[in-house]
Amino acid sequence: MGSSGINAEYMGYMEAVVSTQSTWEAVVSTQSTWGTWVNKFGKRKSRGFCKKKFKDTKAKAKPAAPQPRFYPADDVERPLKRNKKNNKQTRLRSSITPGTILILLAGTFKGRRVVFLKQLDSGLLLVTGPFKFNGVPIRRVNQRYVIATSTKVDVSGVKVPDAVNDGLFKKTRRGDQDEDEFFAENKEKFTVSEERKKLQTSIDTGVIKAVKAVKYLDQYLGQRFTLKKGVPPHLLKF
């Protein structure tokens, strides 16, 4: 066989190989579009597989806005997160009932023993000394700052007027005063009005009568509560 015959046979073999490869690529590209696993003969085998890669269609989170490099020169006012107004009255402790003797733990009269009358709309407690025994007038106190004792007085006969409410104890603020009143040299000192004195007397009359019905209770109310050295407060029974 001459060289020309060999070259012709070799060229024919190469053309067949090239056509086979092109056919393989065409079949692979077509089948990959379909998303199946086949070879050039359309049969499923363990080699020569190709699989189409589908794009991720899930919604991607938007990138957050870039933070500024510098703080703002002026304070930015933002609304405060506040809870809704709660108009419910504060729940009274079970140990505090009308006529219970309380011990004040804070304020001008701390350490004094007072008589509980009723709970006001604001949730504060209305108490009285009475004023004759310990100098404590009718006033409002928070139940967090009192100790309820086991001693009680029958105050069912004491009538508290409707005028004794939260508005009775409100004081004028400095912001409500005029400029002349604020800088006045001879300011008027606070004095108890006659109406307030009559109101105090009308309430204390019934309380004093109930207190004197119990022996030594008036002396008990007149004494200030104190703790001495070596007395453990957590072991005391009030």
Side-chain angles (χ1 to χ4, degrees), residues 25-193:
E25 293 176 357
V27 172
V28 168
S29 62
T30 304
Q31 298 299 336
S32 63
T33 304
W34 294 343
T36 56
W37 299 71
V38 296
N39 60 5
K40 66 177 182 178
F41 302 105
K43 297 181 180 181
R44 298 179 181 274
K45 292 189 175 182
S46 61
R47 299 180 65 184
F49 290 169
C50 60
K51 187 176 181 180
K52 181 180 178 181
K53 295 182 180 179
F54 295 96
K55 294 183 179 180
D56 189 6
T57 57
K58 293 182 179 180
K60 296 182 180 180
K62 295 182 179 179
Q67 297 293 334
R69 296 181 58 189
F70 306 99
Y71 291 105
D74 300 328
D75 295 334
V76 180
E77 295 183 358
R78 297 179 181 179
L80 299 176
K81 294 182 179 180
R82 298 180 178 178
N83 297 329
K84 295 181 180 180
K85 292 184 178 179
N86 186 7
N87 296 325
K88 295 182 180 179
Q89 192 180 44
T90 306
R91 184 173 59 181
L92 193 63
R93 288 181 353 213
S94 59
S95 59
I96 302 177
T97 56
T100 303
I101 305 299
L102 307 177
I103 300 175
L104 303 181
L105 300 178
T108 308
F109 302 99
K110 62 181 178 180
R112 292 295 184 183
R113 297 178 173 92
V114 295
V115 180
F116 170 66
L117 298 177
K118 70 172 186 178
Q119 186 181 24
L120 301 175
D121 296 336
S122 61
L124 299 177
L125 311 181
L126 178 67
V127 299
T128 183
F131 186 81
K132 180 180 179 180
F133 296 150
N134 50 28
V136 181
I138 52 172
R139 58 187 294 107
R140 300 181 300 175
V141 294
N142 195 319
Q143 62 177 335
R144 290 186 177 184
Y145 305 109
V146 299
I147 297 176
T149 65
S150 58
T151 307
K152 296 184 179 182
V153 181
D154 184 13
V155 292
S156 57
V158 179
K159 295 182 179 179
V160 180
D162 296 336
V164 182
N165 49 29
D166 293 305
L168 179 67
F169 300 96
K170 287 185 178 180
K171 299 180 181 179
T172 56
R173 299 178 299 176
R174 290 186 177 182
D176 299 337
Q177 297 178 356
D178 298 336
E179 183 178 356
D180 297 337
E181 294 178 0
F182 186 79
F183 292 102
E185 295 181 359
N186 299 326
K187 295 183 180 180
E188 295 182 0
K189 295 183 179 181
F190 175 77
T191 56
V192 182
S193 62

